[in-house]
Amino acid sequence: AAWSNRNLRLDTANTNFELQGATTVRQGLTILAGTLDNSNDGGTTKYGLTVQGTWDGSGGAFTHNSGETVTFSGSESAQIGAEDFNNLTVNKTSSTMTLGGNVNVVGTASVAGGTLEVSTRTLDVDNNLTVEGGTLSMTGSGGQITMASGKTFSMTSGNFNASDVATAPVVTSDSPGTNFYTASFTGGTLDVDELDFRSFSRAGVAMNGVTVT
């Protein structure tokens, strides 16, 4: 069964809260204690979780199972606190999800609508990162995207924005100088004042059909 909640607040220590179906949280999700698990059978069946407000998992834990996706949607600008996700999708209408802590994505990360703002934090992606609508933004001094070896950072539509700040935002690999990733921009708009690309593959940064402003 699908579940829809206005706010979801978990605050019971030593307790495992298991999703029983695809779940939508129409405002914020807060894990103050206990563990939120997107499966109720040890990871065999995974349920999608959609959050339309802030994610705060600072007091408890989130068990991400292989194949599950957490989607941030809706029209409310909010924050994503420090967390580990399997797959992460930002598909807002026109608002912004800002990293309030460092975020690790062990699967794929995608921006399909709205804005994902890295700010001064680190977005660590172990698989592919795709901008396919909306905006991936790096407007905070010292913000960083870290890509895993052999994976691809791509943009097919939408925008990639990097502002001129005191310390240039960085896109690099998980082991600079040893591991290398691929960068491919085949659509959308690059609005870059200052950006430090490091440890990409020898093929370079492929750009075709991209508007540069």
Side-chain angles (χ1 to χ4, degrees):
W3 295 79
S4 180
N5 305 272
R6 184 174 182 181
N7 285 291
L8 183 59
R9 177 186 173 100
L10 308 179
D11 193 10
T12 304
N14 304 314
T15 301
N16 197 43
F17 300 91
E18 298 175 336
L19 298 187
Q20 303 298 306
T23 300
T24 297
V25 181
R26 298 194 304 275
Q27 291 186 2
L29 186 152
T30 304
I31 310 172
L32 295 176
T35 299
L36 176 62
D37 193 331
N38 78 309
S39 174
N40 61 7
D41 57 7
T44 301
T45 305
K46 281 83 67 173
Y47 298 109
L49 177 58
T50 299
V51 180
Q52 297 181 351
T54 288
W55 179 290
D56 179 4
S58 58
F62 174 59
T63 299
H64 58 81
N65 295 282
S66 177
E68 60 84 13
T69 299
V70 173
T71 300
F72 290 93
S73 66
S75 59
E76 177 184 351
S77 290
Q79 286 195 340
I80 306 173
E83 192 60 84
D84 292 343
F85 298 99
N86 185 64
N87 299 321
L88 176 66
T89 296
V90 174
N91 192 12
K92 308 286 284 184
T93 51
S94 60
S95 50
T96 299
M97 293 303 302
T98 301
L99 297 192
N102 296 334
V103 168
N104 178 51
V105 181
V106 301
T108 61
S110 65
V111 181
T115 298
L116 174 59
E117 173 59 69
V118 176
S119 187
T120 60
R121 309 295 184 173
T122 295
L123 175 63
D124 190 350
V125 183
D126 293 348
N127 208 302
N128 297 326
L129 169 61
T130 304
V131 181
E132 51 190 349
T135 298
L136 176 61
S137 181
M138 303 182 75
T139 62
S141 183
Q144 180 167 304
I145 294 173
T146 302
M147 297 293 301
S149 178
K151 303 305 179 182
T152 300
F153 172 23
S154 65
M155 181 171 66
T156 58
S157 64
N159 304 279
F160 179 36
N161 175 37
S163 294
D164 185 7
V165 291
T167 302
V170 173
V171 180
T172 187
S173 77
D174 53 5
S175 182
T178 301
N179 294 338
F180 304 93
Y181 65 95
T182 300
S184 175
F185 303 110
T186 58
T189 300
L190 282 172
D191 183 6
V192 176
D193 293 324
E194 185 177 14
L195 181 65
D196 187 355
F197 265 112
R198 303 176 186 173
S199 291
F200 49 82
S201 69
R202 292 183 178 179
V205 178
M207 288 192 290
N208 182 21
V210 179
T211 301
V212 180
T213 62

